[in-house]
Amino acid sequence: MDRLIVRPAQETDAQGIADIYNPFIIGTTVTFEEEAVTMEEIQRRIRGVKSIPMPWLCAEYEGKLAGYAYASRWRERSAYRFVAETTIYLAPAFIGRGIGKVLYGTLIEQLCASGIHTVIGVIALPNPASVTLHENLAFIKVAHFNEVGFKFEQWIDVGYWQRILYLNARE
């Protein structure tokens, strides 16, 4: 993994991020978005995540953008301020190489250091690769919602995985 670099995302990464994400939008039920996103939309999202502030990270493997991960607020109410929802996507060529575990692990470390208490992963089901990644990083399945998404003329279930990072909330 010495050829892997995990770093903060920049707006200049937006086209590469869109190139990774858009095939998931148009060809899978992994995401509930239904229309491809533009580079400009990804730039707007990066700015939004960083303004919260939450981390948005990119993984480069041998100089190529392999994937990205970021965190966002789980809910808007102030009592949820110590909870983050996480997202990770890898380019298909980089799946199964351990890159996701390093990238996601780095995101979790940064969230813990920033005072986040609980991390929530939301997974459209079935998605065995994402379930395995979350469970390998000590997430526990805490909820299952039947038929809450409708895409490609089918109903899709969603599972919630949770990981508690530490016990005391910080102000």
Side-chain angles (χ1 to χ4, degrees):
M1 280 298 145
D2 56 333
R3 298 175 289 185
L4 178 66
I5 297 168
V6 176
R7 59 167 178 78
Q10 305 298 321
E11 287 189 38
T12 55
D13 295 312
Q15 186 60 58
I17 290 169
D19 291 344
I20 290 170
Y21 186 44
N22 282 331
F24 288 99
I25 294 172
I26 61 174
T28 77
T29 58
V30 169
T31 175
F32 286 180
E33 289 202 65
E34 297 182 284
E35 296 193 19
V37 294
T38 64
M39 176 186 72
E40 293 80 14
E41 174 59 18
I42 295 294
Q43 288 173 332
R44 186 193 67 73
R45 292 178 187 190
I46 291 170
R47 285 192 301 272
V49 165
K50 288 183 172 188
S51 74
I52 298 174
M54 291 270 186
W56 187 313
L57 304 175
C58 286
E60 286 184 7
Y61 188 78
E62 296 182 346
K64 295 179 184 168
L65 187 62
Y68 66 94
Y70 66 91
S72 57
R73 297 265 181 245
W74 184 57
R75 296 281 187 262
E76 291 300 316
R77 303 269 193 266
S78 65
Y80 293 119
R81 68 189 174 278
F82 299 108
V83 183
E85 181 178 331
T86 53
T87 300
I88 183 168
Y89 284 93
L90 295 178
F94 296 99
I95 293 172
R97 297 185 184 189
I99 293 169
K101 189 171 183 179
V102 173
L103 175 60
Y104 211 21
T106 303
L107 181 72
I108 291 166
E109 288 170 10
Q110 289 188 12
L111 289 170
C112 187
S114 74
I116 293 297
H117 175 71
T118 302
V119 180
I120 303 211
V122 180
I123 305 172
L125 300 171
N127 188 339
S130 188
V131 169
T132 298
L133 174 63
H134 283 81
E135 291 180 352
N136 283 343
L137 288 167
F139 283 74
I140 297 168
K141 187 175 184 184
V142 294
H144 187 112
F145 300 99
N146 294 308
E147 299 182 358
V148 293
F150 190 77
K151 186 173 177 182
F152 301 139
E153 301 301 316
Q154 63 182 317
W155 287 105
I156 304 153
D157 293 359
V158 169
Y160 274 41
W161 272 256
Q162 176 184 27
R163 178 173 167 181
I164 304 222
L165 302 180
Y166 59 86
L167 298 176
N168 297 315
R170 297 180 186 173
E171 288 299 317

